[in-house]
């Protein structure tokens, strides 16, 4: 007797997922797409080719019509057999509130004591679907997981266009779309162990039939909430089906799941849109601000970070002068980056001190207290950098606990940036890190902000804590340990804002963001290259979480010179910050910065909470442009990436405005080069701006526009 006697239609505002149970007790997907007027139409064509909601290795052989040889779950049972068959046993629905409805399908293997729960959470207003699975080993012996994905999507179309977001240090979230030919497969993965996103955020865009457009066509946007090794793969099989599988990556060794224990996969977030990827991003951003990011509905402060300003070269005086200038410019928070700790092994360079989280008394005789007092006296907030997962062999911590570093027996562990990774699978290590935070934050209650860095990957993947049969668990248990530390710290110090940094953008993922307020987008702060990176980031992550800093020109990483206005206009489209020595700025620069900063504070709700419309793609056009719309107000940013003498870019068509309303246009951040449009302080109809467009006078490369639009009554 089936548990589901009727099909189950799960709805969000615009999307529908229809499921049913077949005669063998398996859950199948009848429909995923635009919400239907009559939900039951989803079943009207017969469902003999309906894919499984979650498939095992054995299933990959038994569904010949749409089989692609792919599967979500593969287990080695205690008897050594690679065998699992799932039958539906129980269904439950929990409505968490008016917006969130969780559906749980429990499946069991009739032959082995293994239970699987498939969780599907539907977020009604933001049209977002979350899927994850928990695997329960109910036997008295261990089993091994070879694959445990969060789930997969199936589609059938004539063509598939897949966008991936490759990354590396200094070049994060650089997107690339490609058509997936019949019979081909594409894989996006990361194997760094510590950080998912350094090799590309664990996200994907699947466009059906046509390349992904901002405004039209069917697209599915997927993002895995996991900060460790992952695999996202799409296979276009011979029968024209697309299988898109998503999950953490267990390779190269199986994961040992002990007797009577469970394994929960990370959550996979799916958003479907039939109106292009612009709408898909906006839906995901809404979800993120409400559920995906810590305090996503609270405005973010403008900060100045000390790193590119002084690197390791500072003392108390240097910092006090920087803080004074920070306060004078109207910046709200000062963040002291690397270099403040270590005494026996002072952190005057990156070769020593990591792990010894005590203030360096030579550099900072008045301690952190001196800095927080100074900040308070100036009326600004104070934040500090830590890299808690790491250790330099030249540190007191390593001298007393060399076994706490990840390492292989009989081998000298490889150093990267002169450091080793601490073994977070070990509870003693986690306890040590938690205490570092407890000591720091209880003895300095005025620390408002932590920049949590993680600058290297795992190599030599061995643990002195895990026994021989669990060595293969290290990379996953590491991430679970990391999340546990964050859960403890964020519960104990809920008021502290935390930034995820990982050699730049190594932790731009929703696994990380549920604990953090924001991420450092890239160590590459060149405003020109940032336009491309920030464009990529914007597909999954809202501007409120994207730290973007104005830095010195020429840029320290690329040597490129850019106008101050351009740097401001780029940084202001995210969470604005500064990363330079403010005492080196001349009076003109300070005055310009003060003005831009006061504008940012005024318009930040539009950027941090508004809906994003990407208008002109820098990968395809010389002009990059996007805008944020929030109620009756909007902000447009446009950047001329390059200019050829005889090339005059066309008018820029805006989006997201009210076609019936009239808007007052005000150019912000205007510099000596004058206005970019003739529309400053003009009142123009929303319909005109969207249908005919805005004329921008582009004369020189790296000119930019920041335009405020406000509905007049
Ligand atoms: C990493 C970070 C930088 C900075 C340095 C400090 O590279 O990405 O922002 O904090 O570490 O060592």
């Amino acid at each position: 007797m089936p548990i589901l006697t009727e099909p189950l239609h799960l709805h969000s505002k615009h999307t529908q997922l229809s499921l049913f149970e077949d005669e063998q007790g398996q859950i199948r997907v009848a429909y995923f797409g635009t919400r239907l007027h009559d939900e039951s139409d989803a079943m009207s064509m017969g469902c003999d080719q309906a894919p499984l909601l979650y498939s095992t290795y054995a299933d990959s052989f038994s569904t010949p019509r749409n089989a692609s040889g792919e599967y979500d779950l593969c287990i080695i049972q205690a008897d050594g057999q690679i065998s699992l068959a799932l039958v539906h046993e129980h269904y439950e629905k929990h409505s968490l509130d008016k917006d969130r409805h969780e559906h749980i399908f429990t499946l069991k293997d009739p032959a082995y004591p293994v239970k699987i729960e498939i969780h599907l959470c539907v977020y009604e207003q933001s049209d977002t679907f979350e899927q994850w699975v928990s695997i329960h080993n109910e036997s008295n012996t261990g089993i091994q997981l070879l694959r445990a994905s969060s789930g997969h999507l199936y589609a059938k179309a004539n063509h598939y266009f897949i966008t991936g977001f490759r990354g590396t240090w200094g070049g994060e979230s650089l997107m690339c779309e490609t058509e997936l030919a019949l019979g081909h497969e594409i894989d996006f993965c990361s194997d760094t162990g510590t950080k998912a996103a350094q090799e590309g955020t664990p996200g994907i865009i699947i466009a059906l039939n046509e390349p992904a457009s901002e405004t039209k066509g069917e697209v599915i946007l997927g993002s895995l909430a996991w900060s460790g090794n992952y695999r996202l793969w799409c296979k276009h099989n011979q029968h024209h089906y697309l299988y898109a599988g998503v999950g953490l990556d267990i390779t190269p060794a199986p994961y040992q799941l002990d007797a009577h224990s469970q394994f929960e996969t990370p959550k996979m977030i799916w958003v479907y849109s039939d109106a292009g990827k612009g709408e898909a991003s906006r839906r995901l951003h809404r979800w993120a601000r409400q559920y995906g990011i810590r305090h996503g509905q609270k405005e973010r402060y403008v900060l100045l970070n000390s790193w590119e300003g002084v690197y390791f070269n500072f003392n108390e005086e240097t910092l006090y002068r920087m803080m004074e200038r920070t306060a004078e410019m109207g910046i709200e928070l000062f963040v002291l980056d690397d270099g403040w700790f270590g005494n026996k092994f002072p952190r005057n360079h990156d070769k020593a001190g990591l792990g010894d989280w005590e203030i360096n008394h030579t550099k900072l005789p008045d301690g952190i207290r001196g800095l927080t007092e100074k900040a308070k006296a100036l009326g600004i907030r104070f934040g500090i950098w830590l890299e808690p997962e790491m250790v330099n062999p030249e540190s007191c911590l390593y001298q007393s606990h060399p076994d706490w570093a990840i390492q292989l027996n009989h081998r000298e562990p490889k150093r990267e940036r002169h450091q080793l990774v601490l073994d977070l699978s070990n509870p003693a290590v986690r306890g040590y890190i938690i205490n570092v935070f407890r000591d720091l934050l209880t003895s300095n209650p005025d620390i408002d902000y932590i920049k949590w860095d993680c600058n290297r990957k795992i190599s030599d993947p061995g643990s002195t804590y895990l026994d021989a049969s669990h060595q293969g668990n290290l990379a996953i248990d590491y991430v679970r340990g990391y999340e546990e530390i964050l859960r403890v710290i964020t519960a104990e110090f809920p008021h502290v804002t935390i930034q995820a940094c990982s050699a730049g953008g190594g932790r731009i993922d929703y696994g990380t963001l549920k604990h953090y307020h924001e991420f450092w987008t890239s160590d590459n702060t060149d405003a020109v290259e940032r336009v491309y990176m920030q464009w990529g980031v914007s597909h999954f992550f809202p501007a409120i979480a994207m730290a973007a800093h104005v830095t010195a020109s020429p840029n320290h990483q690329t040597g490129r010179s850019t106008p101050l206005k351009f740097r401001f206009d780029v940084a202001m489209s995210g969470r604005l910050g500064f990363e330079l020595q403010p005492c080196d700025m001349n009076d003109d620069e300070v005055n310009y910065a003060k003005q831009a900063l006061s504008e940012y504070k005024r318009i930040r709700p539009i950027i941090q909470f508004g809906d994003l419309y990407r208008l002109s793609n820098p990968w395809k056009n010389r002009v990059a442009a996007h805008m944020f719309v929030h109620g009756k107000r909007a902000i447009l940013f446009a950047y001329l990436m390059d200019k050829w003498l005889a090339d005059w870019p066309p008018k820029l068509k805006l989006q997201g405005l009210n076609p019936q309303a009239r808007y007052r246009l005000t150019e912000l951040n205007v510099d000596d080069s004058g206005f970019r449009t003739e529309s400053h302080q003009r009142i123009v109809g929303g319909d005109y701006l969207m249908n005919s467009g805005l004329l921008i006078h582009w004369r020189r490369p790296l000119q930019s526009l920041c335009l405020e639009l406000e509905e007049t009554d």
Side-chain angles (χ1 to χ4, degrees), residues 99-245:
D99 190 38
R100 290 178 294 169
H101 309 284
E102 186 177 337
H103 304 262
I104 306 170
F105 306 87
T106 305
L107 295 92
K108 280 193 171 173
D109 188 321
Y112 290 93
V114 175
K115 182 176 92 179
I116 310 291
E117 282 171 4
I118 307 172
H119 299 253
L120 262 171
C121 190
V122 183
Y123 295 81
E124 212 166 299
Q125 289 307 312
S126 51
D127 286 296
T128 301
F129 289 68
E130 244 178 8
Q131 184 178 343
W132 71 103
V133 167
S134 50
I135 302 155
H136 301 253
N137 176 11
E138 297 183 326
S139 78
N140 294 325
T141 33
I143 59 173
Q144 292 183 309
L145 307 182
L146 285 174
R147 182 181 295 174
S149 298
S150 302
H152 67 265
L153 271 189
Y154 245 93
K156 192 162 190 186
N158 286 323
H159 300 277
Y160 300 102
F161 295 85
I162 311 293
T163 308
F165 293 77
R166 72 196 153 85
T168 183
W169 179 86
E172 287 88 341
S173 294
L174 300 177
M175 57 192 289
C176 184
E177 184 175 50
T178 179
E179 178 166 5
L180 190 60
L182 193 67
H184 285 220
E185 186 171 341
I186 193 167
D187 242 293
F188 301 103
C189 50
S190 169
D191 59 5
T192 66
T194 51
K195 38 182 171 169
Q198 198 80 58
E199 292 163 312
T201 187
I204 193 169
I205 297 177
I206 302 166
L208 306 184
N209 298 314
E210 304 285 337
S213 135
E214 288 294 337
T215 51
K216 58 180 173 38
E218 283 187 281
V219 295
I220 301 154
L221 215 132
S223 185
L224 183 70
W226 179 243
S227 316
N229 295 344
Y230 68 84
R231 185 170 170 233
L232 262 114
W233 74 107
C234 293
K235 191 164 173 181
H236 183 176
N237 81 5
Q238 290 303 336
H239 309 290
H240 298 281
Y241 283 97
L242 181 84
Y243 176 102

Side-chain angles (χ1 to χ4, degrees), residues 169 305 307 312 337-338 347 350 385 387 417 451 453 455 501-504 520 523 579:
W169 179 86
N305 175 296
W307 182 241
F312 292 108
D337 209 280
D338 200 352
R347 182 75 171 170
D350 61 9
W385 179 95
E387 195 180 357
R417 213 193 186 214
K451 174 175 173 180
D453 211 340
N455 277 314
C501 175
S502 185
W520 182 223
D523 275 354
E579 195 162 323

Side-chain angles (χ1 to χ4, degrees), residues 188-487:
F188 301 103
C189 50
S190 169
D191 59 5
T192 66
T194 51
K195 38 182 171 169
Q198 198 80 58
E199 292 163 312
T201 187
I204 193 169
I205 297 177
I206 302 166
L208 306 184
N209 298 314
E210 304 285 337
S213 135
E214 288 294 337
T215 51
K216 58 180 173 38
E218 283 187 281
V219 295
I220 301 154
L221 215 132
S223 185
L224 183 70
W226 179 243
S227 316
N229 295 344
Y230 68 84
R231 185 170 170 233
L232 262 114
W233 74 107
C234 293
K235 191 164 173 181
H236 183 176
N237 81 5
Q238 290 303 336
H239 309 290
H240 298 281
Y241 283 97
L242 181 84
Y243 176 102
V246 181
L248 49 67
D249 191 14
I250 289 180
T251 54
Y255 188 93
Q256 181 72 24
L257 185 59
D258 292 336
H260 302 288
S261 55
Q262 65 156 308
F263 182 97
E264 191 167 290
T265 71
K267 293 177 174 162
M268 182 62 203
I269 304 150
W270 294 115
V271 180
Y272 166 87
S273 155
D274 59 8
K277 62 182 175 152
E279 183 55 28
S281 294
R282 285 188 288 282
R283 291 176 182 178
L284 185 59
H285 292 175
R286 276 178 220 136
W287 171 85
R289 283 190 296 265
Q290 200 170 350
Y291 305 108
I293 299 173
R294 276 194 81 210
H295 304 155
Q297 287 161 326
K298 201 173 142 222
E299 272 186 25
R300 303 302 198 241
Y301 295 118
V302 178
L303 62 81
L304 184 137
N305 175 296
S306 66
W307 182 241
E308 284 196 25
V310 289
Y311 296 103
F312 292 108
N313 315 315
F314 58 82
N315 58 25
E316 215 157 61
E317 262 323 288
T318 331
L319 298 183
Y320 286 173
R321 295 293 84 77
M322 282 176 102
M323 289 164 86
E324 284 160 10
R325 203 65 190 259
T326 297
E328 184 201 323
M329 290 204 295
I331 299 169
E332 298 157 305
L333 167 72
F334 178 81
V335 180
L336 172 56
D337 209 280
D338 200 352
W340 57 269
F341 50 91
N343 285 299
K344 184 166 175 204
F345 297 96
R347 182 75 171 170
N348 293 327
H349 40 67
D350 61 9
K351 295 190 177 62
L354 278 181
D356 299 348
W357 301 106
E358 71 213 359
I359 195 91
N360 179 299
H361 300 300
T362 316
K363 277 179 172 172
L364 302 166
D366 288 342
I368 296 180
R369 180 59 56 90
L371 295 163
T372 53
E373 294 287 311
K374 177 78 180 170
K376 254 211 220 133
L378 291 166
I380 57 174
R381 289 160 192 271
F382 182 79
I384 201 158
W385 179 95
L386 280 106
E387 195 180 357
E389 299 154 76
M390 301 289 160
V391 65
N392 281 124
E394 291 69 30
S395 67
C396 300
L397 181 68
Y398 189 74
Q399 286 192 340
S400 42
H401 297 289
D403 53 318
W404 281 6
I406 289 178
Q407 57 196 281
L408 290 167
N409 297 338
H410 320 297
R411 320 244 176 247
E412 184 65 27
K414 285 176 222 53
R415 299 185 186 195
E416 193 182 310
R417 213 193 186 214
H418 315 287
Q419 66 199 51
L420 302 175
V421 186
L422 290 172
D423 179 1
L424 303 195
S425 74
N426 182 343
V429 176
R430 297 200 293 273
Y432 167 79
I433 295 175
I434 289 170
N435 279 332
V436 166
F437 279 98
R438 281 194 183 129
D439 290 349
L440 181 73
L441 296 174
T442 34
S443 42
N444 300 287
D446 292 321
I447 293 182
D448 273 302
Y449 178 104
I450 296 283
K451 174 175 173 180
W452 178 314
D453 211 340
C454 167
N455 277 314
R456 66 156 291 182
K457 60 179 181 295
I458 293 178
S459 57
D460 311 282
S463 163
T464 61
Y465 170 75
L466 298 171
D467 66 20
S469 62
H470 291 82
Q471 289 292 318
N473 293 12
L474 178 62
I476 289 171
D477 288 358
Y478 180 92
V479 180
R480 301 224 190 280
Y482 158 70
E483 296 211 47
E484 185 189 307
I485 297 170
L486 277 155
R487 270 194 297 275

